[in-house]
Amino acid sequence: MPDHGSKADISFAGRFTASAIAACFAEVCTIPLDTAKVRLQLQKNVAAADAAAPKYRGLLGTAATIAREEGAAALWKGIVPGLHRQCIYGGLRIGLYEPVKSLYVGKDHVGDVPLSKKIAAGFTTGAIAISIANPTDLVKVRLQAEGKLAPGVPRRYAGAMDAYGKIVRQEGFAALWTGLGPNVARNAIINAAELASYDQVKQTILKLPGFKDDVVTHLLSGLGAGFFAVCVGSPVDVVKSRMMGDSAYTSTIDCFVKTLKNDGPLAFYKGFLPNFARLGSWNVIMFLTLEQVQKLFVRKPGS
């Protein structure tokens, strides 16, 4: 039996294009939740020292505070580098998944692909893709992290292209890969969790009576992928956001130790609900879109 139709004859260019389109559409729909997630993760526990309540509370509260203080458009901060990121990272990590998975199991493999091979393929493609796309992730986080400024204080960056230029001029070209370590760890882990769990959940659902390869199956599989990815990847996601948004940390280990010491272990799951709302909805939208768009790229026999 083929692996639930995943071996449709689609070229790498077709898979890359379909993946990039689906990832960009999901990004546009869900980036307000990502902005709220980043603000929550960057918010440190200062209440004890300053006797002040945290500025941001919960997903809706954070979104409302941002919209009230900075305008609703601020919720889409980082959308330009976010789309840059999804064109590169989304296109590569998803577009390479099927070819790499086939490479790991061998061309003569018949039947369902083992879960271990799916995880290995997702880990590999996530690491490769983010190693190339890290500059876009850095700029996206820095634009999202900038909150309301005092009157007369200029913004750090005028936009995405200005941010790329200033980072290179002021910090050096290599600075575009700041946070690469936790970013590779985060994206390799989350990509493996997302793609392997979607693949596995979908494969399992299709073996149940009454289910077929349709929107309902894609919806359930996407939710499962998002939840599992957040559970596994939240700690490295917090470290990544803090390293990219705050230059006070000297290394991944330094960021991890300081976060643990200053904010406690629960800090690694700060923003869990908005992160799940973001990744859960992102995965549902992305996979639903991908399943439809990639049909346009299936090569007909003899073509």
Side-chain angles (χ1 to χ4, degrees), residues 263-286:
D263 301 332
L266 291 181
F268 294 109
Y269 284 90
K270 183 173 284 187
F272 180 86
L273 289 179
N275 204 8
F276 172 62
R278 151 76 167 166
L279 268 183
S281 58
W282 194 95
N283 274 277
V284 168
I285 294 170
M286 192 282 291

Side-chain angles (χ1 to χ4, degrees), residues 216-239:
V216 175
T217 297
H218 303 158
L219 176 66
L220 295 174
S221 302
L223 280 173
F227 179 75
F228 190 66
V230 176
C231 289
V232 173
S234 191
V236 287
D237 190 44
V238 169
V239 172

